[in-house]
């Protein structure tokens, strides 16, 4: 994908309609966040400064210190392996049957690193610059710089672990360019980079299991955070987990808790995320005092296989590299939508991206391509099967490319993607244009963390997709994997050390009031679900919630739509608590019960996402507010009003959340408007 | 289409379990096999009957979490994972038998879910390269011939699903183990621990109660990632070499 930023226009004009507070009444203003604790000085020196300042823990004392890590994806597994090696006592949790199955495994495209192996002008600074710009200037400069800085070490580490990255004939690593940048800095292992990186981290983790420093609790779901109030204020000291096989409610306490529990894109029900991805771990922490930042930032990926029917459980992503050769179109006339596309003549086709964005054409960035596809389908010109009365699909046509490169050329370049498409749809894409549609893919929002990756509750650290810090309003391709591993291998081990230097903390007894309260709240939720004499399945609620979120808090949001969504969510949530039906027992493997807890949390998150979206009356990255667009329909940011992180504090059930703003300050980079025309 | 489903139901690992028969209408051929089971479960919940437990997560054929015996075949009639199997592979009116993976080393937890943690313990016994974080050399300091890297990659694609074990009449995990031995053994980084790795992994394999390999080849036929049978020859070769080296 090409560079998407024009060079001019340093700052933007204010909204001509003046100040707005669309979310007034839905929240309470709170104190601003003054300090995210990054060291001062030039951006390039900050991480070195912090590492030096971070206090040391003597190796003999590390055995006495305990760490809970929830999540075994790239962020969690890499942290557990590294902290285990260092000699701390680590407990690692995941809900799957093995740490190796965390959702990171599904990442296809690759991982970025500023190695400059191609001598094409890449550098730490350029990776930093591209990432901040790609995030539409809504990420934190200090964090992103650090990410770019440690990216090079990630590749070294993974290669040493045996990750089989693509190689050139001379035996050196190959890389390619990907996702909105002009340098080749993406390392990849065919279409399975996430899998290979995760297997590397998982193997390092299992090595520590054998060494006795890490214990794995698989098929264990964290269902509550334990926060203990001490003389010096509250601290995160443990979790309540449900053994998903026996149903036993267990408490685990430690000196520090790390959440690496991934993203919450499944609030939309249909997404490219794994089925089990959920918000429970971070939402429970949010309810206990951890701020949730920028929850409305959702990345929607334009090249997914469309929905085929109402039975559909998930969506499958196809690499966006397909847009390099495929041409995207729909019929000009609604009347042609049911026809065989091969019978629709050239002049009856609307190559809408090429028409609207002549200079970028089919290669416009993810958010633009997604929104344009939605618009043509909403107009009634979508193709493919009709689901709930609308055809949601556009053609991705390789006919011209096949004529140009031959079928063999296409096969060599895209073979496995074409096969995958045929397996899922039953259509042969060599003969029939593919159909694609946008789908929810990744969330840039997450728990608020400071420069040390510590949440607003001391002793709670958050890494990977579960935190909010590095991607701003839009994530560039191949940088989530980079962030997960940077956090786990190279950042957290230094910052958590400084926290642990004050430990070991006083042990927390099983009958401590905070532990008892946490267990009891878990128990009462479970009892409620199992004793509720309802009539509707959990999945049916999740599906309905997902529809509301997609319709009103998806690719385009408006004030009216979001207000309506909040209403609908509240009504549905009410009905869920009164009318959900969960069969089976508490003391056994009970998948409906697991889902019920997750969907309950999705309801609360969904509402907060809408409030956050309502508050942000600007369009930036994955957040497009209908009220904030240029004359020709492009996203319009308002740096003068919204160059802040929205960090939400939970104020109690049925209380409006409290909004804390953290101003985004750029010292090493200048804010610019993006332009694609 | 209309289907008759014969499904193994087992409340927990101590329950003897048995087959139950369900009728399902309105199955579309666009559904994946697991979506068909989702639809069945919605129907069961409506009738007040405990839904069928089965494992899945990515539903993209990459995490290895899903896995069912379908009409006696691991992952069903196509060479793919259960989540990537679609109902167009079946026909209207068919009776489909669905069971959990069958192997002593994979005890049933409930219905169609089994415990595959033996695989994790095999990896912990030696399926890694020992390198502490931060002590890795610069990646380009050790070139890897492209063909070696390619071969390592081709076998590193194992998703740990366990179909090979379920398909094997001996319940052997040799294909899974051979894939890991070959992946790490093909790379220069994997050499220092090559002997100890194979010896320890084989010991763990036997300790877990997996059977021995008698070269039947059902494993590779069932493997959704088409891991070739010669990884088992590689495993045996590495084991002999390690023994000669005195392990
Ligand atoms: C289809 C797809 C393709 C992608 N491709 C790319 C790509 O090419 N490049 C790129 O950089 N990024 C890509 N991404 C994004 C990237 O894969 C993810 O953002 C990243 O892997 C997240 O890693 P993580 O470690 O934060 O979380 P995850 O890998 O999601 O791990 C979450 C972990 O938390 C555990 N967990 C969650 N909740 C609980 C709980 N309550 N109790 C116990 N355990 C819990 C889970 O068991 C799991 O172990 C892709 C994403 C998708 C969906
Ligand atoms: S070798 Fe094949 S069948 Fe066996 S676990 Fe790996 S992917 Fe599954
Ligand atoms: S669910 Fe992940 S491979 Fe089938």
């Amino acid at each position: 994908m090409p560079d998407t930023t024009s060079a001019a226009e340093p700052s933007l004009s204010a909204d001509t309609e003046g100040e707005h507070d669309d979310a007034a009444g839905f929240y309470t203003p709170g104190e601003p966040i003054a300090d995210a604790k990054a060291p001062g000085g030039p951006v390039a020196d900050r991480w070195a400064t912090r590492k030096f300042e971070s206090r040391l823990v003597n190796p003999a004392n590390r055995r006495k210190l305990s760490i809970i890590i929830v999540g075994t994806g790239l962020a969690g597994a890499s942290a557990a392996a590294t902290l285990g090696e260092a000699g701390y006592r680590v407990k690692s949790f995941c809900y799957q049957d093995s740490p190796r199955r965390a959702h990171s495994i599904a990442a296809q495209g690759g991982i970025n690193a500023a190695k400059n192996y191609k001598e094409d002008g890449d550098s730490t600074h350029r990776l930093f610059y591209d990432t901040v710009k790609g995030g539409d200037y809504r990420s934190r400069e200090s964090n992103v710089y650090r990410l770019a800085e440690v990216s090079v070490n990630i590749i070294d580490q993974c290669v040493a672990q045996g990750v089989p990255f693509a190689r050139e004939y001379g035996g050196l690593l190959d890389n390619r360019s990907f996702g909105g940048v002009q340098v080749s800095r993406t390392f990849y292992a065919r279409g399975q980079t996430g899998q290979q990186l995760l297997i590397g981290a998982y193997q390092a983790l299992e090595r520590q299991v054998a060494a006795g420093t890490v214990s794995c609790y698989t098929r264990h779901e964290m269902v509550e955070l334990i926060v203990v109030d001490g003389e010096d204020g509250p601290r995160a000291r443990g979790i309540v987990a449900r053994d998903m096989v026996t149903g036993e409610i267990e408490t685990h306490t430690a000196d520090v808790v790390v959440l690496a529990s991934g993203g919450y894109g499944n609030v939309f029900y249909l997404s490219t995320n794994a089925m089990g991805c959920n918000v429970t771990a971070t939402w429970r922490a949010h309810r206990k005092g951890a701020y949730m930042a920028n929850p409305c930032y959702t990345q929607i990926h334009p090249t997914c296989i469309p929905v085929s029917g109402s039975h559909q459980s998930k969506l499958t992503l196809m690499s966006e590299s397909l847009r390099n050769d495929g041409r995207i179109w729909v019929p000009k006339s609604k009347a042609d939508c049911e026809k065989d596309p091969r019978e629709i003549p050239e002049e009856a086709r609307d190559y809408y991206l090429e028409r609207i964005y002549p200079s970028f054409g089919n290669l416009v960035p993810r958010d633009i391509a997604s929104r344009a596809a939605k618009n043509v389908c909403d107009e009634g010109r979508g193709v493919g099967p009709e689901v709930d009365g609308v055809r949601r699909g556009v053609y991705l046509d390789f006919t011209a490319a096949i004529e140009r490169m031959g079928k063999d050329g296409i096969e060599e370049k895209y073979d496995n993607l074409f096969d995958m498409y045929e397996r899922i749809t039953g259509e042969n894409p060599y003969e029939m244009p593919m159909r694609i549609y946008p789908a929810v893919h990744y969330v840039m929002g997450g728990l608020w963390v400071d420069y040390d990756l510590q949440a607003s509750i001391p002793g709670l650290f958050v890494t990977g997709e579960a935190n909010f810090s590095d991607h701003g309003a839009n994530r560039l391709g191949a940088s989530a994997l980079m962030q997960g591993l940077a956090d786990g291998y190279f950042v957290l081990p230094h910052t958590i050390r400084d926290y642990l230097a004050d430990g070991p903390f006083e042990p927390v007894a099983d009958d401590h009031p905070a532990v008892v309260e946490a267990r009891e709240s878990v128990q009462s939720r479970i009892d409620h679900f199992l004793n509720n004499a309802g009539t509707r399945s959990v999945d049916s609620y999740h599906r309905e919630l997902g529809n509301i979120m997609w319709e009103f808090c998806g690719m385009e949001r408006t004030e009216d739509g979001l207000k309506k969504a909040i209403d609908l969510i509240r009504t549905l949530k009410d009905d869920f608590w009164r009318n959900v039906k969960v069969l089976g027992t508490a003391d056994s493997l009970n998948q409906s019960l697991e889902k019920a807890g997750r969907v309950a949390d999705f309801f609360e998150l969904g509402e907060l996402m809408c409030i956050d979206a309502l508050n942000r009356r600007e369009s930036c990255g994955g957040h497009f507010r209908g009220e904030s667009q240029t004359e020709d329909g492009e996203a319009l940011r308002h740096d003068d009003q919204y160059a802040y992180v929205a960090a939400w504090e939970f104020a109690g059930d049925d209380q409006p959340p409290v909004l804390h703003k953290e101003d985004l300050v750029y010292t090493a980079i200048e804010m610019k408007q993006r332009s694609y025309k | 289409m209309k289907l008759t489903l014969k499904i193994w139901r087992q409340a927990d690992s101590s329950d003897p379990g048995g087959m139950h028969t369900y009728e399902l209408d309105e199955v579309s051929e666009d559904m994946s096999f697991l979506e068909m089971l989702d639809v069945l479960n919605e129907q069961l919940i409506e009738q007040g009957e405990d839904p069928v437990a089965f494992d899945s997560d990515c539903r993209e054929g990459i995490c290895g979490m899903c896995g069912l015996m379908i009409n006696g075949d691991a992952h069903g009639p196509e060479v793919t994972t259960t989540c990537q199997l679609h109902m167009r592979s079946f026909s209207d009116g068919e009776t489909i038998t669905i069971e959990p993976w069958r192997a002593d080393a994979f005890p049933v937890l409930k219905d169609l879910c089994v415990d595959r943690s033996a695989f994790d313990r095999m990896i912990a016994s030696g399926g890694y390269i020992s390198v502490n974080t931060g002590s890795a050399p610069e990646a380009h300091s050790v070139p890897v011939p492209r063909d070696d890297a390619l071969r390592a990659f081709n076998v590193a694609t194992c998703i740990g699903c366990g179909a090979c074990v379920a398909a094997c009449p001996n319940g052997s995990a040799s294909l899974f183990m051979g894939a890991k031995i070959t992946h790490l053994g093909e790379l220069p980084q994997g050499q220092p621990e090559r002997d100890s790795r194979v010896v320890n992994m084989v010991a763990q394999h036997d300790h877990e109660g997996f059977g021995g390999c008698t070269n039947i080849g059902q494993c590779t036929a069932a493997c959704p990632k088409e891991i070739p049978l010669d990884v088992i020859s590689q495993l045996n070769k590495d084991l002999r070499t390690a023994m000669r080296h005195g392990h």
Side-chain angles (χ1 to χ4, degrees):
Chain A
M1 296 259 305
D3 189 328
T4 54
T5 304
S6 72
E9 297 165 300
S11 82
L12 296 169
S13 59
D15 190 320
T16 43
E17 293 165 52
E19 300 267 332
H20 282 273
D21 192 358
D22 295 342
F26 288 96
Y27 75 98
T28 321
E31 289 293 304
I33 298 174
D35 181 12
K37 300 220 207 87
V43 71
D45 299 340
R46 291 178 196 164
W47 180 227
T49 307
R50 168 62 90 249
K51 277 194 288 187
F52 181 73
E53 285 170 352
S54 169
R55 289 167 296 163
L56 301 176
V57 179
N58 165 337
N61 287 339
R62 294 183 201 156
R63 274 192 298 279
K64 299 178 197 144
L65 292 160
S66 53
I67 303 173
I68 285 173
I69 302 181
V70 180
T72 60
L74 288 179
S78 56
T82 304
L83 293 163
E85 269 162 36
Y88 301 103
R89 281 185 291 126
V90 178
K91 285 184 177 181
S92 152
F93 292 80
C94 68
Y95 66 73
Q96 294 94 342
D97 71 331
S98 163
R100 66 177 292 147
R101 310 208 201 280
H103 171 58
S104 294
I105 206 155
Q108 301 170 347
I111 178 167
N112 285 336
K115 280 280 198 187
N116 194 26
Y117 281 161
K118 297 270 170 174
E119 272 296 307
D120 55 2
D122 202 10
S123 63
T124 300
H125 197 88
R126 191 176 297 278
L127 176 51
F128 157 68
Y129 174 81
D130 287 346
T131 308
V132 172
K133 180 184 76 179
D136 232 342
Y137 303 90
R138 292 292 177 266
S139 57
R140 263 203 210 127
E141 146 181 294
S142 308
N143 291 60
V144 179
Y145 195 92
R146 173 176 68 190
L147 174 66
E149 193 177 338
V150 303
S151 67
V152 293
N153 305 114
I154 295 171
I155 304 303
D156 297 342
Q157 181 67 26
C158 297
V159 165
Q161 288 170 344
V163 171
F165 284 118
R167 301 244 168 201
E168 292 174 338
Y169 282 102
L172 300 180
L173 294 160
D174 191 13
N175 26 71
R176 58 185 175 195
S177 76
F178 192 77
V181 293
Q182 290 165 313
V183 290
S184 288
R185 64 159 75 102
T186 306
F187 294 78
Y188 64 102
R190 215 169 289 163
Q192 305 176 359
T193 315
Q195 180 191 32
Q196 294 307 323
L197 294 171
L198 184 63
I199 296 293
Y202 153 74
Q203 288 173 184
L205 173 74
E206 292 296 342
R207 172 176 163 239
Q208 292 309 313
V209 170
T213 62
V214 177
S215 349
C216 279
Y217 294 79
T218 57
R219 292 196 195 263
H220 271 68
E221 180 160 26
M222 167 186 166
V223 281
E224 196 53 272
L225 181 73
I226 297 173
V227 179
V228 172
D229 250 325
E231 279 166 19
D232 51 354
R235 283 179 195 271
R237 290 302 307 275
I239 63 169
V240 181
R242 180 171 181 273
D243 178 329
M244 294 158 75
V245 177
T246 64
E248 195 177 334
I249 303 299
E250 303 172 356
T251 41
H252 296 268
T253 55
D255 291 304
V256 63
V257 178
V258 179
L259 300 185
S261 50
Y264 51 75
N266 279 4
V267 64
F268 291 90
Y269 189 74
L270 286 182
S271 82
T272 65
N273 288 359
M275 298 299 289
C277 288
N278 67 89
V279 76
T280 289
T282 51
W283 193 258
R284 293 284 127 198
H286 172 63
R287 291 180 56 103
K288 285 279 168 87
Y291 297 171
M292 180 63 96
N294 298 337
C296 80
Y297 287 164
T298 307
Q299 184 162 79
I300 299 191
H301 202 293
T303 50
C304 298
I305 300 178
V307 177
S308 66
S310 51
H311 58 268
Q312 193 120 358
S313 59
K314 75 114 38 176
L315 296 170
T316 301
L317 172 78
M318 287 191 300
S319 171
E320 69 185 317
S321 62
L322 289 170
R323 289 199 280 146
N324 287 323
D325 289 299
R327 292 182 72 194
I328 295 174
W329 63 276
V330 292
K332 280 186 179 155
S333 150
K334 286 180 197 176
D336 285 346
C337 289
E338 273 173 74
K339 279 195 186 153
D340 183 328
R342 293 167 296 190
E343 279 157 22
I344 302 176
E346 201 60 27
E347 61 278 7
R349 301 176 175 189
D350 180 11
Y351 294 90
Y352 58 90
L353 290 176
E354 300 171 29
R355 172 171 58 81
I356 312 173
Y357 307 98
S359 56
F360 285 83
N362 297 303
L363 291 175
V364 291
R366 289 179 181 179
D367 50 335
I368 303 279
S370 298
R371 217 167 42 249
K374 178 175 193 288
N375 289 343
V376 293
C377 294
D378 287 351
E379 278 168 29
R381 294 192 291 139
V383 297
E386 210 175 270
V387 181
D388 302 329
V390 193
R391 293 175 205 281
R392 291 195 175 85
V394 299
Y395 291 120
L396 177 62
D397 195 336
F398 283 85
T399 316
I402 292 173
E403 274 164 24
R404 195 174 68 242
M405 305 160 64
K407 189 178 168 228
D408 293 350
I410 293 284
E411 215 169 298
E412 193 176 323
K413 206 162 164 189
Y414 298 118
D415 180 45
N416 60 346
L417 293 172
F418 275 53
D419 287 350
M420 181 177 83
Y421 181 86
E422 181 165 9
R423 177 166 294 291
I424 293 174
T425 62
E427 277 175 16
N428 180 343
Y430 290 105
E431 284 162 14
M432 191 76 158
M434 283 187 184
R435 286 174 291 109
I436 55 167
Y437 198 66
V440 169
H441 176 57
Y442 180 85
V443 290
M444 283 74 70
L447 288 185
W448 183 90
V449 288
D450 64 16
Y451 186 69
D452 288 344
L453 304 182
Q454 185 166 217
S456 52
I457 304 173
L460 180 69
F461 290 78
V462 191
T463 63
E465 194 174 339
N467 77 25
F468 88 103
S469 61
D470 292 4
H471 306 297
N474 180 44
R475 174 178 68 77
L476 287 184
S479 51
L481 301 183
M482 172 171 70
Q483 186 215 341
L485 290 180
D487 286 357
Y489 284 134
F490 299 110
V491 178
L492 182 74
H494 289 287
T495 60
I496 208 171
R497 193 180 71 208
D498 186 61
Y499 181 83
L500 285 171
D502 287 328
F505 301 98
E506 182 106 344
V508 182
D510 258 2
D511 59 357
H512 188 286
V515 177
V516 174
E517 181 275 327
R519 287 184 70 108
E520 280 175 355
S521 71
V522 167
Q523 196 60 55
S524 78
R525 268 200 311 283
I526 291 177
D527 292 345
H528 171 86
F529 289 133
L530 290 172
N531 297 330
N532 198 37
T535 58
R536 259 185 85 173
S537 73
V538 179
D539 276 353
S540 74
Y541 281 104
H542 192 179
R543 214 180 275 269
E544 194 173 334
L545 172 67
N547 283 339
I548 298 172
M549 295 302 294
W550 178 246
E551 194 55 35
F552 299 110
C553 198
M555 275 183 276
E556 180 171 339
R557 299 103 187 251
T558 62
E559 181 182 348
D560 290 347
L562 289 163
K563 286 184 171 160
K564 181 162 176 203
I566 293 169
D567 249 11
L568 290 170
I569 293 170
R570 287 179 179 167
T571 313
L572 189 65
K573 178 172 80 176
D574 233 43
D575 190 67
F576 169 83
W577 282 102
R578 280 187 288 105
N579 201 23
V580 70
K581 175 171 175 181
V582 180
L583 300 167
T585 58
D587 60 351
S588 67
L589 200 157
N590 186 338
Q591 293 173 327
S592 307
L593 180 62
E594 292 159 18
K595 287 192 262 188
R598 294 173 192 165
V599 171
D601 291 337
F602 276 142
F603 271 115
E604 295 178 17
L605 167 77
E607 187 177 327
L608 186 67
M609 287 171 74
C610 292
I611 295 174
D612 185 44
L614 198 52
N615 168 258
R616 191 169 287 277
R617 192 188 177 96
E618 68 163 345
S619 298
C620 64
H623 171 67
F624 188 88
R625 274 292 294 269
E627 297 86 351
S628 182
Q629 43 186 310
T630 61
E631 268 169 19
D632 40 7
E634 299 306 335
L636 182 61
R637 238 174 42 216
H638 297 296
D639 293 338
D640 51 341
Q641 295 174 57
Y642 296 105
Y644 61 76
V645 173
W648 298 92
E649 180 186 353
F650 181 74
D653 284 309
D654 306 319
Q655 290 298 315
V658 180
L659 172 59
H660 301 273
K661 295 180 183 176
E662 175 198 331
D663 284 333
L664 289 164
V665 181
Y666 296 99
T667 61
I669 209 162
E670 189 190 358
M671 292 198 199
K672 288 176 187 165
Q673 179 65 310
R674 295 158 86 210
S675 164
Y676 321 102
K677 294 224 164 161
Chain B
M1 37 182 169
K2 263 176 140 71
L3 298 171
T4 303
L5 303 171
K6 294 190 158 168
I7 303 183
W8 181 262
R9 301 298 310 257
Q10 182 174 344
D12 54 43
S13 44
S14 58
D15 182 60
M19 298 302 282
H20 286 232
T21 305
Y22 305 94
E23 303 291 331
L24 194 59
D25 299 344
E26 293 184 46
V27 173
S28 101
E29 58 175 31
D30 287 330
M31 289 178 184
S32 72
F33 199 83
L34 300 182
E35 284 167 349
M36 182 275 291
L37 289 179
D38 291 340
V39 172
L40 172 72
N41 277 344
E42 287 292 290
Q43 184 176 309
L44 291 179
I45 292 171
E46 195 148 305
Q47 295 160 359
E49 201 177 328
D50 200 15
V52 181
F54 63 91
D55 277 326
S56 78
D57 203 24
C58 74
R59 297 207 176 182
E60 277 186 26
I62 192 79
C63 75
M65 185 91 176
C66 63
L68 304 173
M69 296 302 281
I70 300 166
N71 291 336
D73 293 327
H75 290 306
E78 318 271 344
V79 183
T80 188
T81 55
T82 308
C83 59
Q84 290 291 289
L85 177 67
H86 282 72
M87 296 314 292
R88 64 182 76 90
S89 299
F90 300 87
S91 44
D92 191 23
E94 213 178 314
T95 299
I96 306 177
T97 308
I98 309 170
E99 298 159 278
W101 280 166
R102 296 180 291 210
D104 284 348
F106 290 165
V108 174
L109 298 173
K110 180 175 179 180
D111 296 342
L112 304 172
C113 303
V114 301
D115 178 358
R116 284 167 292 194
S117 52
F119 272 11
D120 292 332
R121 292 188 291 273
M122 280 168 66
I123 296 296
S125 72
Y128 51 76
I129 291 172
S130 297
V131 48
N132 283 0
T133 305
S135 52
E138 154 51 52
H140 269 179
S141 60
V142 188
V144 181
R146 197 166 183 262
D147 288 346
D148 295 359
L150 213 59
R151 173 146 164 87
F153 178 83
N154 283 339
V155 294
T157 55
C158 162
I159 56 173
C161 61
C164 46
V165 176
C168 174
N170 306 331
S172 174
S174 291
L175 196 70
F176 168 78
M177 184 165 49
K180 188 50 51 192
I181 298 281
T182 309
H183 162 203
L184 300 177
E186 281 294 328
L187 298 169
Q189 292 85 355
Q191 300 314 311
E193 291 164 297
R194 189 162 180 174
D195 287 351
S196 59
R197 176 178 309 120
V198 66
V199 169
N200 293 338
M201 284 187 80
V202 168
Q204 188 67 33
H205 172 273
D206 297 351
H207 173 77
E208 294 289 349
F210 291 108
C213 172
T214 51
N215 278 317
I216 294 168
Q218 290 289 356
C219 53
T220 183
C223 174
K225 298 297 155 181
E226 302 180 56
I227 303 293
L229 201 56
D230 64 7
V231 299
I232 300 182
S233 324
Q234 186 71 57
L235 162 72
N236 291 328
K237 193 167 151 220
D238 277 23
L239 188 59
R240 283 195 304 275
T241 312
M243 308 280 233
R244 260 205 315 280
H245 291 170
H247 271 276

